[in-house]
Amino acid sequence: MKLNSLRYFAVLAEELHFGRAADRLAITQPPLSLAIKALEEELGVRLLLRSSKHVELTPAGSAFLEEARQILDRVARASSIALAVASGSRGRLDVGMAGSLVYRGVPAIVQRFDTDAHGIELILHEMSTAEQLQGLLHGQLDAGFLNAFVVPPQLRSLPLVDDEFVLCLPAAHRYAGAKAVDLGDLCEERFVMFSRDVSPANYDNVIAIFSRAGVHPKTVHAARQWLTIVAMVAEGLGVSLVPRSLARSRVDNVRFVPFTGASAITPALLVWNPARTSPALEKFVASAGSTIEGLRGAMLPMPSRKQQQGRSNLIKRPHQR
């Protein structure tokens, strides 16, 4: 059944006059008559009763008209949706997020995009860094907020706002009220560590800090999320190094204390696969870049020049694609 036949029938049913219907359709009457006849033959029913002076719908024609209008409306809607998606004004984006990055500006990025592109539905999925990379490489995610310094060469990335590691201590710890602690003074402490299989970048980064400080941490527990580590410290299960932004989680019974002897920034990127780009994704990346620039220097105090010089001697951020 051709859509033109449905459209011809719907217009004729509204006009109940072949001449006027033909004028509206910008065709002559013979093609209109032939189309209606072919439609009736295909359906096996009479849709119209017609004479030289009169046209009216049969009961079957009236019932068919309602269905035909719904079909035509759905086709028109489908066409509009396709055009909107192609132009980037409508669509859906599935975006991964490492849980702790909710404190690194991700909500602001999402809210800004929702305001700027309200026709595009953005769904956040909490996932580990390893899971996100697999999802991006296999087309299961459009983008991801993850913990890493570098990503596979097939992907592109944009760094989030900088963050630094600090000590996470139980509130009753002897150093909980200190302004800063030498990391070497904690060499006998029991540490809660990030699980390496979830995010090698986080684990390796923490181990590198300990190595530079000459500390060999006694690992007693391994967790899959930064917030879990903070909760375990709050329960007295050990101490840890965590991103400073986690202080914004306001977990009770913990203190976040700067340390000396070694320092490092915590890696965090917005990552996407350019091989699977779309107008909606391009708008999201552009919006996120603008929001991140606005957040830089606002979410966390800027480190001192001395801290910046010390950081540059310890870890240099690789060039991001």
Side-chain angles (χ1 to χ4, degrees), residues 124-184:
L124 285 175
H125 305 269
E126 184 178 2
M127 304 168 69
S128 71
T129 292
E131 291 169 337
Q132 289 188 63
L133 289 174
Q134 287 300 310
L136 290 164
L137 291 170
H138 293 92
Q140 298 161 338
L141 287 176
D142 295 292
F145 294 99
L146 50 84
N147 295 295
F149 270 130
V150 294
V151 295
Q154 305 97 305
L155 305 178
R156 296 291 179 269
S157 62
L158 184 67
L160 301 186
V161 291
D162 282 349
D163 197 1
E164 291 184 317
F165 281 104
V166 294
L167 282 167
C168 181
L169 306 173
H173 194 278
R174 66 187 186 280
Y175 290 132
K179 292 183 178 180
V181 177
D182 190 304
L183 197 55

Side-chain angles (χ1 to χ4, degrees), residues 5 63 136 193 202 218 236 271 277 297 315:
S5 297
L136 290 164
M193 298 287 286
N202 280 328
K218 298 177 181 179
V271 182
T277 191
I315 286 186

Side-chain angles (χ1 to χ4, degrees), residues 173-316:
H173 194 278
R174 66 187 186 280
Y175 290 132
K179 292 183 178 180
V181 177
D182 190 304
L183 197 55
D185 292 341
L186 300 176
C187 59
E188 299 301 320
E189 294 283 348
R190 294 154 57 88
F191 282 87
V192 182
M193 298 287 286
F194 204 97
S195 180
R196 192 181 192 283
D197 63 326
V198 176
S199 178
N202 280 328
Y203 178 86
D204 293 346
N205 209 9
V206 171
I207 291 298
I209 296 171
F210 283 125
S211 178
R212 290 193 299 275
V215 176
H216 301 284
K218 298 177 181 179
T219 303
V220 291
H221 303 292
R224 296 175 60 85
Q225 298 185 41
W226 285 120
L227 287 171
T228 303
I229 291 176
V230 174
M232 293 173 77
V233 171
E235 294 299 320
L237 297 178
V239 301
S240 189
L241 300 187
V242 303
R244 181 170 54 174
S245 58
L246 288 178
R248 300 178 65 224
S249 66
R250 301 189 183 279
V251 175
D252 291 335
N253 299 320
V254 293
R255 299 293 183 270
F256 299 90
V257 181
F259 59 87
T260 60
S263 65
I265 56 174
T266 64
L269 303 171
L270 167 60
V271 182
W272 66 96
N273 190 337
R276 302 185 63 86
T277 191
S278 66
L281 179 57
E282 290 174 353
K283 284 190 173 184
F284 175 62
V285 170
S287 175
S290 176
T291 304
I292 291 169
E293 284 304 311
L295 290 172
R296 283 195 202 284
M299 291 188 63
L300 296 168
M302 292 297 291
S304 67
R305 180 174 300 179
K306 182 178 179 181
Q307 288 175 313
Q308 290 175 328
Q309 291 171 344
R311 176 194 298 171
S312 65
N313 293 330
L314 296 170
I315 286 186
K316 296 185 183 296

